[in-house]
Amino acid sequence: MTSKSKPKPQAKISQAEPKPSPMVIVFGLDQANKPRAASFTGEQVELATKAATLMKLRVLKVVGPELTELAARLQAGRIYASGHGFVPPIRPQIYERLSELADPKPAPGLPRSWDDIEVGHLVLVTEAPGEGYWEAIVLGRDNDMLNVKWRDYPKLPQLVCHRAAVALLKPTAAEPSTAA
């Protein structure tokens, strides 16, 4: 039999299984203050969360197109039998973006905490117990006491209350939605 008559092996056409989508990103600074991040799929979420706690890293759930695209660019993490995980180093710019997405800046006019309440901030105030909370704008602050006016009822009298007696809106509530 000559080499011309030998049948050539046919290349196997295999259907590649789709790669599972990342569900969480584990990220943070290591002991040497170097940024690290990795993506983990759905079946690894629980173990990745435990590993992140052991390694003192943060977990960010992948939601929205920007995080999905960012997670796809990261290396896949690995979980070891010890409970720790492999989270490779990343560029500082990627770490900064992950940090921004994990802790968005408060929308203008919404305080992040009761200590951050300043003139012009929007808070929720009740006039009396059981009356419900309504939007109010802080007009003045004297130590822990706030002078507020009702946002939707400016002709009603102003109210003075303790800063701990107001409720805060979620700082990201007023940010524009990224949903397409």
Side-chain angles (χ1 to χ4, degrees), residues 60-105:
L60 181 58
K61 186 175 180 182
V62 176
V63 275
E66 186 175 5
L67 272 172
T68 302
E69 188 266 326
L70 192 56
R73 291 189 349 213
L74 295 174
Q75 287 186 23
R78 290 188 301 250
I79 305 294
Y80 300 119
S82 67
H84 286 284
F86 171 70
V87 180
I90 57 170
R91 292 192 315 264
Q93 299 88 344
I94 295 173
Y95 174 75
E96 289 171 16
R97 187 63 190 136
L98 285 170
S99 295
E100 288 171 4
L101 292 168
D103 296 319
K105 292 180 175 63

Side-chain angles (χ1 to χ4, degrees), residues 127-169:
E127 195 168 16
E131 293 293 317
Y133 282 82
W134 303 93
E135 292 90 352
I137 298 170
V138 178
L139 297 177
R141 179 174 175 172
D142 184 17
N143 291 324
D144 288 341
M145 300 306 291
L146 303 175
N147 184 16
V148 300
K149 73 173 182 176
W150 303 108
R151 182 188 72 181
D152 298 329
Y153 306 98
K155 291 184 181 179
L156 289 178
Q158 295 177 3
L159 182 69
V160 176
C161 59
H162 192 275
R163 69 180 169 91
V166 303
L168 303 179
L169 293 162

Side-chain angles (χ1 to χ4, degrees), residues 109-141:
L110 295 179
R112 188 175 284 273
S113 71
W114 285 272
D115 293 332
D116 294 338
I117 298 174
E118 295 295 335
V119 173
H121 279 155
L122 180 68
V123 294
L124 298 175
V125 180
T126 185
E127 195 168 16
E131 293 293 317
Y133 282 82
W134 303 93
E135 292 90 352
I137 298 170
V138 178
L139 297 177
R141 179 174 175 172

Side-chain angles (χ1 to χ4, degrees), residues 1-17:
M1 204 185 248
T2 64
S3 62
K4 291 181 181 178
S5 63
K6 277 189 186 176
K8 291 185 181 180
Q10 291 185 344
K12 284 187 179 178
I13 300 173
S14 62
Q15 295 272 339
E17 289 186 27

